[in-house]
Amino acid sequence: MPTASQQPENQTLAELCGRGRPRSVILRSFQEGTVRGLLVGCAMFSILVTTLIIGILAYETARFLQDVSVVDFLTGLEWNPLLGAERHFGIWPLIVGTLLVTLVAAVFALPIGLVTAIFLSEYAPPWLRAILKPILEVLAGIPTVVYGFFALIVITPALQGLGRLVTGENTFGAYSAGAAGIAVGIMILPIVTSLSEDAIRAVPKGLRDGAFALGSTKFDTSVKVVVPAALSGIMASYLLAITRAVGETMIVALAAGGLAQMTVLPWEQVQTMTAYMVQIFLGDAPATGVEYKSSFAVAGVLFLMTFLLTFAGYRILLRFREEYE
Amino acid sequence: MDRAFAIICLGITLIAVLALALLLASILIAGFPGLSWSFIERYASRIPEQAGIKAPLFGSIWVASICAIVALPVGVATAVYLEEFAAKNRFTNFLRINISNLAGVPSIVYGILGLTLFVRMFGLFGPIQNPAFEIGGETFAIYYDSTGEPLRVPVTSRNETPSLTTGSIGYIQDVLDGPDGELIFTNNWVPIPLTIVNVDTEFTPAYGVISAIDVVEPIDYEIQKPWYYVQFPFGQTVLAGGLTLMLVVLPVVIISSQEALRSVPRSLRAGSMAMGATRLQTVFRVTLPASIPMIMTGAILAMSRAIGEAAPILVLGVALFITDVPQSLMDAFTVLPMQIYNWTSRPQEEFRALAATGIIVLLVVLLAFNAIAVLIRQKFSRPLQ
């Protein structure tokens, strides 16, 4: 019988031996190899996802282009796939609608986001920062369908009132690119703010100290030294935010309207690429019809746009990272 | 000049605060009056006063759970590979670019992928309504007996027409009398011997008595689905929805896990290796435990995103009018954001109010999720030095 005092010591030793490095080299390399294989498999899954997205979109777009010519699709200025005797499948009204909403969102969010980021990193005292950062995080966590609701019941009436006040007429309708754009702007504001702030904070303190030593005010330092130094990071945040705006679905499906038209007036209603897809997938268009297939082609164009934007953002961010490391 | 700029900055910063305040205020004003326990307990209805949110609430919980169960292991494993094992070469670089690209793909595009890959499975297994492979379910042919009650007869597949004679066994649903005299249909099916009667002869309608014309072909087929029942293709089911959301949040999980692993000091890894631990032991006993709080925080944020996504679920073509809580992986479902979208897109004021109440429920669910994240962070976080 081992004594009570020996028992725990023995156990710990046994435990240590049992949990240690496997003695057998073969077993060890087998273990490492298996786990490594599993990890590689998981990493490969992301490549599979990309391949499938590109493959499916390319295949379905090709099927759509058997019914509608490429030239009509890519150069047509009329998008009228559901109604009327003569249906038109020119993508430009959808692209213009998407860009108009994105432009409104960008005009709203990019300057405000940058100024907020400057304020948070250069001016705000720690206690104020501790309040403002969580508020922005909450804003970032709100589902987009909630912003869509907000656009309909708050932003649209506000813009309608403003329109009446300025022009004396009913300029804004129940649906408008402007209302959707502002809601999208509020949605992307936290993205711009947090990424830009990261970029601004990454600027070495030495640069600021140098500017102060040369007699600059805080304003001069922030605007003429810190922001230019962080410019590539800020640009990357802008591009990422714009990517999100281009791909945003629920807000525009609720608030931007359903009429695909070529317009640059924010009080008109527009249909974006994503809103068109919602219309098709929610409606009961037969899965064999041209209009159903067209939504895949629209998705293909959308994917291409966001792909280029993300890629550009990634390249800029890489350059920015190299600068201070 | 300097002071003026600071004040302008503060004013502009407050726009974000103002936006959040307006947003929450408008939702609370429109939605709070409708908030009640019965709203959470009721199913969808065309009459606004009787509509509730039970089906989407449970649908969201199911879908988010499936999404978490799949996305977390795959995402963390990918991050571990990229941060701890991958060599610094062109291929690794390509992997990284690919993941940041996936993070930028609009969620509606993932919906299209989910529709083709999970809901339809490229059409390889036949149409959704008549799946080619079914595992684990019990198939029944449905007849109506002379009382008009449904009668089930077990069959092996949807294509089989059972030959019924007098004396064959059918199953009839057990009905209980409720406390207020209403009938409660139970899930209990009791066997009953069938009596086939000729159309010409007179007979009194009774349970199990069925006319000869009605036994020629079943009215419909029904599948009793235990939770492990699987069909190929998945169709518009909870599993397809959860997997589609998994695609949406996977890049987010990977990127946040990578950041978590990167935040573990190099000295910890070096110390472990110097003690003779293998790479694998270092990862599982040192690096992962040290970064778990951050990984969990990122994971919860990703799950919040999954709960709030409507676009990919919408593309799958899920039914808008669900009056049951999912019981198995292969049941129809809807999610909170879809129901909110549906209510918001209707012109009537009453449905707008319902949407606001639904948003309150959604935000409470998200809040609960984030509270769990904070708890986990506190429970697991240990100082690294």
Side-chain angles (χ1 to χ4, degrees):
Chain A
M1 275 288 283
T3 60
S5 63
Q6 275 175 322
Q7 189 73 15
E9 215 171 309
N10 280 349
Q11 266 183 351
T12 6
L13 197 65
E15 207 179 271
L16 273 175
C17 289
R19 291 185 62 188
R21 188 181 180 127
R23 293 280 170 80
S24 151
V25 178
I26 298 171
L27 179 65
R28 202 162 70 207
S29 63
F30 176 74
Q31 271 184 357
E32 299 260 325
T34 314
V35 174
R36 211 190 159 95
L38 280 176
L39 295 179
V40 174
C42 286
M44 285 306 172
F45 183 72
S46 63
I47 292 185
L48 179 72
V49 171
T50 311
T51 319
L52 279 174
I53 291 177
I54 294 173
I56 289 167
L57 291 180
Y59 174 76
E60 297 285 350
T61 306
R63 285 207 328 167
F64 166 72
L65 292 177
Q66 287 174 347
D67 298 333
V68 176
S69 83
V70 194
V71 181
D72 286 351
F73 179 58
L74 290 181
T75 61
L77 299 182
E78 201 176 334
W79 182 264
N80 174 29
L82 298 172
L83 301 166
E86 208 177 323
R87 302 199 284 183
H88 295 279
F89 289 94
I91 184 91
W92 278 101
L94 294 184
I95 293 183
V96 168
T98 305
L99 292 182
L100 179 60
V101 172
T102 309
L103 183 73
V104 173
V107 166
F108 178 85
L110 302 190
I112 295 181
L114 178 59
V115 172
T116 305
I118 295 174
F119 179 74
L120 281 178
S121 72
E122 305 295 310
Y123 285 90
W127 62 268
L128 188 57
R129 215 180 104 83
I131 299 172
L132 289 173
K133 281 289 274 186
I135 288 178
L136 285 166
E137 274 167 31
V138 170
L139 217 49
I142 287 177
T144 59
V145 70
V146 179
Y147 286 113
F149 177 85
F150 184 61
L152 271 187
I153 74 157
V154 176
I155 300 176
T156 302
L159 286 178
Q160 283 172 333
L162 197 70
R164 261 195 299 278
L165 207 69
V166 173
T167 62
E169 289 166 51
N170 289 330
T171 39
F172 277 91
Y175 303 104
S176 62
I182 290 175
V184 174
I186 298 174
M187 184 202 84
I188 61 174
L189 184 58
I191 302 174
V192 180
T193 308
S194 77
L195 291 178
S196 295
E197 203 210 335
D198 286 348
I200 291 174
R201 291 192 145 234
V203 174
K205 198 166 172 294
L207 277 183
R208 290 187 185 85
D209 292 343
F212 285 135
L214 289 171
S216 321
T217 62
K218 199 160 193 184
F219 171 77
D220 285 330
T221 314
S222 305
V223 174
K224 293 181 188 160
V225 176
V226 178
V227 170
L231 198 61
S232 47
I234 293 168
M235 281 300 148
S237 84
Y238 278 8
L239 279 175
L240 284 180
I242 288 171
T243 315
R244 284 292 296 274
V246 167
E248 174 42 43
T249 307
M250 301 321 288
I251 298 174
V252 289
L254 280 170
L259 188 64
Q261 53 178 346
M262 302 277 286
T263 179
V264 288
L265 307 173
W267 47 86
E268 297 276 348
Q269 61 166 315
V270 294
Q271 188 167 42
T272 66
M273 292 190 275
T274 50
Y276 173 70
M277 286 155 70
V278 169
Q279 189 190 355
I280 290 298
F281 284 112
L282 264 193
D284 32 37
T288 44
V290 193
E291 63 272 19
Y292 189 81
K293 288 184 207 162
S294 72
S295 61
F296 287 87
V298 172
V301 175
L302 176 68
F303 176 76
L304 214 61
M305 279 173 73
T306 53
F307 178 84
L308 291 175
L309 280 168
T310 331
F311 194 71
Y314 185 79
R315 291 312 290 252
I316 292 177
L317 205 64
L318 272 192
R319 276 189 54 198
F320 145 77
R321 268 194 187 157
E322 278 165 4
E323 269 180 61
Y324 300 115
E325 267 180 24
Chain B
M1 175 68 200
D2 208 31
R3 228 185 134 66
F5 182 70
I7 290 167
I8 292 169
C9 276
L10 176 65
I12 288 174
T13 304
L14 288 180
I15 290 177
V17 183
L18 187 75
L20 184 66
L22 259 177
L23 181 86
L24 293 180
S26 67
I27 288 163
L28 283 177
I29 289 168
F32 198 74
L35 197 63
S36 65
W37 191 248
S38 60
F39 177 72
I40 294 167
E41 278 195 323
R42 281 192 301 240
Y43 292 107
S45 171
R46 285 177 216 289
I47 307 158
E49 290 77 31
Q50 290 176 10
I53 205 159
K54 188 170 182 183
L57 180 61
F58 278 82
S60 273
I61 294 171
W62 268 82
V63 166
S65 313
I66 295 168
C67 171
I69 289 170
V70 184
L72 286 188
V74 177
V76 175
T78 306
V80 166
Y81 173 74
L82 283 175
E83 290 304 311
E84 309 289 327
F85 288 92
K88 281 202 170 152
N89 55 24
R90 284 181 149 224
F91 179 69
T92 310
N93 207 23
F94 172 69
L95 263 177
R96 279 178 214 277
I97 295 177
N98 179 48
I99 287 162
S100 65
N101 240 320
L102 281 179
V105 173
S107 58
I108 195 165
V109 173
Y110 283 110
I112 287 182
L113 178 58
L115 175 71
T116 319
L117 183 63
F118 301 125
V119 173
R120 295 206 193 121
M121 295 198 159
F122 304 102
L124 288 175
F125 302 102
I128 300 167
Q129 286 76 20
N130 189 12
F133 286 108
E134 293 174 280
I135 307 155
E138 285 177 88
T139 315
F140 294 97
I142 304 287
Y143 298 89
Y144 286 104
D145 70 6
S146 51
T147 61
E149 290 299 318
L151 198 70
R152 301 210 304 201
V153 175
V155 288
T156 50
S157 80
R158 280 177 211 248
N159 306 319
E160 186 191 332
T161 308
S163 54
L164 297 177
T165 54
T166 301
S168 307
I169 300 292
Y171 291 83
I172 194 158
Q173 197 167 15
D174 198 7
V175 182
L176 299 174
D177 290 318
D180 301 326
E182 81 275 20
L183 297 176
I184 299 171
F185 290 87
T186 64
N187 234 349
N188 192 18
W189 294 72
V190 284
I192 186 167
L194 301 182
T195 313
I196 315 280
V197 290
N198 238 324
V199 194
D200 310 332
T201 51
E202 293 263 323
F203 66 93
T204 39
Y207 291 131
V209 176
I210 184 166
S211 125
I213 301 179
D214 290 338
V215 290
V216 174
E217 217 166 272
I219 305 282
D220 199 1
Y221 289 93
E222 197 180 282
I223 294 191
Q224 177 123 26
K225 300 169 177 175
W227 66 267
Y228 51 82
Y229 165 76
V230 176
Q231 66 179 37
F232 291 99
F234 291 156
Q236 285 98 351
T237 54
V238 182
L239 184 60
L243 292 177
T244 305
L245 287 183
M246 176 274 287
L247 298 176
V248 178
V249 301
L250 189 61
V252 186
V253 175
I254 296 175
I255 290 170
S256 66
S257 304
Q258 271 183 291
E259 273 163 19
L261 289 169
R262 238 178 264 148
S263 75
V264 176
R266 193 173 280 259
S267 58
L268 275 183
R269 291 191 189 89
S272 165
M273 301 284 246
M275 301 278 278
T278 63
R279 251 188 173 183
L280 211 61
Q281 288 170 328
T282 308
V283 167
F284 281 106
R285 307 234 179 107
V286 178
T287 326
L288 270 183
S291 55
I292 276 266
M294 255 184 99
I295 290 181
M296 288 314 285
T297 313
I300 299 265
L301 281 181
M303 288 312 124
S304 316
R305 178 149 177 225
I307 289 179
E309 280 288 355
I313 299 292
L314 186 148
V315 173
L316 299 186
V318 299
L320 290 173
F321 211 75
I322 303 279
T323 51
D324 210 354
V325 166
Q327 306 283 336
S328 78
L329 288 175
M330 290 293 140
D331 275 335
F333 74 105
T334 185
V335 291
L336 286 172
M338 266 299 281
Q339 186 65 65
I340 292 165
Y341 169 74
N342 185 17
W343 279 334
T344 310
S345 62
R346 296 191 195 194
Q348 299 99 313
E349 277 298 316
E350 296 89 342
F351 281 111
R352 293 270 166 91
L354 277 178
T357 315
I359 288 173
I360 294 177
V361 174
L362 176 63
L363 292 181
V364 168
V365 171
L366 291 177
L367 201 68
F369 248 72
N370 285 289
I372 295 172
V374 172
L375 279 181
I376 290 177
R377 197 159 40 179
Q378 281 176 349
K379 192 167 167 58
F380 279 96
S381 64
R382 279 174 296 180
L384 287 179
Q385 263 105 30

